[in-house]
Each structure stands twice: as C-alpha cells, then as structure tokens.
Amino acid sequence: MFRGVSEISLDAKGRMAMPARYRDLLTEKYAGRLVATVDFTGSCLLLYPIDGWEVIQQKIESLSSFDEASRRAQRMLIGYAHDLEMDGSGRILLPQILRSRARLDKQLALVGQGAKFEIWSKESWESLSDNWFSGDTGSSELPQALLSLSL
C-alpha cells in the first residue's frame, strides 16, 4: 500500500527519485518495473507497479470499442502508458510527453493512493490541497459513498 505525500525533485534529464521508503518494495516485488500514464480527470500522472497496471489495462481493453467515452478512455490511458524501470539509484525517467501533459516542473508531489501513486507538480498539488482544506472544492457536497464512512 502506498500512502502519504512526498515532495521530490525532477532533475534536468526528467528523472525523479522514488522515496527510500518505497524503493525496496518496488524492487523486490516488481523488479523496479512501473507504468506511468495520464490521468484525464486531473493534471497529474498515474504511476502503477507493473502487476497492478496489467490488471487495469485488461479492464480498460475489455470496454466496448463501440462506446465513444470508452474509446476515449482507452486512447488516453493506454495510449499514453509508458513502461518505466527504476535504475540502481531508485530513479525513474518520466518521458517528456507525460511531463508536458501533466505540466510537471522541477518540484513534484508524489501522492500515494493505495495501489498506485499520483505525480503532481508541487504547485498544482498545493493549490488542490489548499482549496480542499479551505472548503473551496468546487462542490459543497461529499460523495455519498464517503458520507457513509466513519473516520
């Protein structure tokens, strides 16, 4: 399970270092193999361990090719998907096309989301979180499923 927010830097070559607390797990369980793709609902990237991505990709591929919304999702999620591999220093190279789509700059926020990560520009992440904590989320209502939880 990946959780928490880590502030990390993107070097001049487009590499980011995975936080030490995730490196061993990613190396031992997934041989450092990851897949990054766009998140078409937000300005971030989605980063999956290879095994998790393969399950997601199968589900996406099983969607009807006759449904236009499904085809758009297939084109974006699979079309932008890139196989990545951590190097010996725990770094991954984010392709330029993905960095551009997510408007990533030198400072990043790596956000654990359970089975995957989100990669945000630090500025976009701070803006999103500031809006959430101030109550300015664009919607005053929480999702119904969230209302049934007790935290």
Side-chain angles (χ1 to χ4, degrees):
M1 295 298 274
F2 308 115
R3 55 182 156 251
V5 178
S6 302
E7 292 182 2
I8 53 181
S9 297
L10 192 63
D11 72 13
K13 294 180 181 179
R15 297 175 301 191
M16 59 170 262
M18 290 300 292
R21 69 178 188 245
Y22 303 124
R23 285 183 200 164
D24 289 341
L25 172 66
L26 292 171
T27 300
E28 292 169 14
K29 191 166 182 182
Y30 307 105
R33 296 175 55 219
L34 304 160
V35 175
T37 191
V38 296
D39 179 0
F40 57 91
T41 62
S43 292
C44 69
L45 299 179
L46 304 176
L47 181 66
Y48 291 86
I50 187 69
D51 294 0
W53 171 254
E54 288 173 348
V55 171
I56 298 295
Q57 183 167 330
Q58 286 176 351
K59 291 178 183 180
I60 296 166
E61 288 173 346
S62 72
L63 298 172
S64 171
S65 62
F66 294 105
D67 178 68
E68 188 55 35
S70 295
R71 287 295 297 142
R72 281 195 308 268
Q74 290 167 332
R75 288 179 186 124
M76 292 300 108
L77 293 169
I78 297 171
Y80 277 103
H82 282 75
D83 292 293
L84 309 175
E85 193 165 332
M86 280 192 334
D87 66 15
S89 300
R91 297 175 301 194
I92 57 173
L93 174 64
L94 296 175
Q96 178 60 46
I97 193 166
L98 293 181
R99 295 191 318 258
S100 295
R101 295 301 302 155
R103 297 179 186 94
L104 300 181
D105 50 23
K106 304 243 337 136
Q107 299 301 311
L108 306 176
L110 181 71
V111 183
Q113 293 292 291
K116 68 178 181 288
F117 297 98
E118 292 179 347
I119 304 171
W120 293 81
S121 75
K122 182 180 174 189
E123 182 180 333
S124 294
W125 176 253
E126 287 177 348
S127 175
L128 181 72
S129 5
D130 288 348
N131 288 341
W132 176 262
F133 288 119
S134 72
D136 184 20
T137 61
S139 172
S140 60
E141 295 183 28
L142 292 173
Q144 191 64 36
L146 191 56
L147 294 175
S148 66
L149 293 179
S150 177
L151 301 177

